[in-house]
Amino acid sequence: MSTTSALLTTSIANVYASSGNTAITWLSINNYSASNVTANVHVVPGGGSANAQNQILTNLEIAAGDTYQLYAAGEKLLLDNNSSIQALANTNTSLNIVVSYTTI
């Protein structure tokens, strides 16, 4: 298994891009700021772009100092080659997203 992490900004950006077929085994978003922050997360098919049809979290408010776990334990999100997880926040660099993945 491997992990990647990124600070979310107010612009949509790749958090993770699948190389081959992969399984997301863990995804969490941590708010390390002193204010509540909202996040949007998309699972984008290869060659696609973030839009309402692939949004899996919409305006999720994460309290100051709190962590939200989207995928944990036995849950898996399977991604095809070149699919990606893209995300943004309503405030720059207050949220950290961590993704753990493995090839399948």
Side-chain angles (χ1 to χ4, degrees):
M1 260 189 262
S2 300
T3 60
T4 187
S5 64
L7 293 176
L8 299 185
T9 67
T10 57
S11 297
I12 192 80
N14 272 351
V15 174
Y16 169 74
S18 181
S19 176
N21 296 323
T22 58
I24 303 301
T25 58
W26 172 272
L27 189 149
S28 67
I29 305 170
N30 177 32
N31 180 356
Y32 59 89
S33 74
S35 302
N36 294 353
V37 180
T38 61
N40 293 304
V41 178
H42 300 259
V43 176
V44 180
S49 59
N51 58 49
Q53 294 167 327
N54 55 38
Q55 194 164 14
I56 59 171
L57 290 177
T58 304
N59 295 323
L60 174 69
E61 185 173 60
I62 302 172
D66 202 2
T67 299
Y68 179 82
Q69 293 180 7
L70 180 59
Y71 287 97
E75 299 176 45
K76 306 286 184 281
L77 175 64
L78 305 178
L79 297 178
D80 291 329
N81 189 40
N82 295 321
S83 295
S84 63
I85 296 175
Q86 299 180 20
L88 65 96
N90 70 331
T91 304
N92 281 323
T93 63
S94 293
L95 297 179
N96 182 54
I97 188 167
V98 177
V99 178
S100 177
Y101 59 94
T102 188
T103 57
I104 52 175

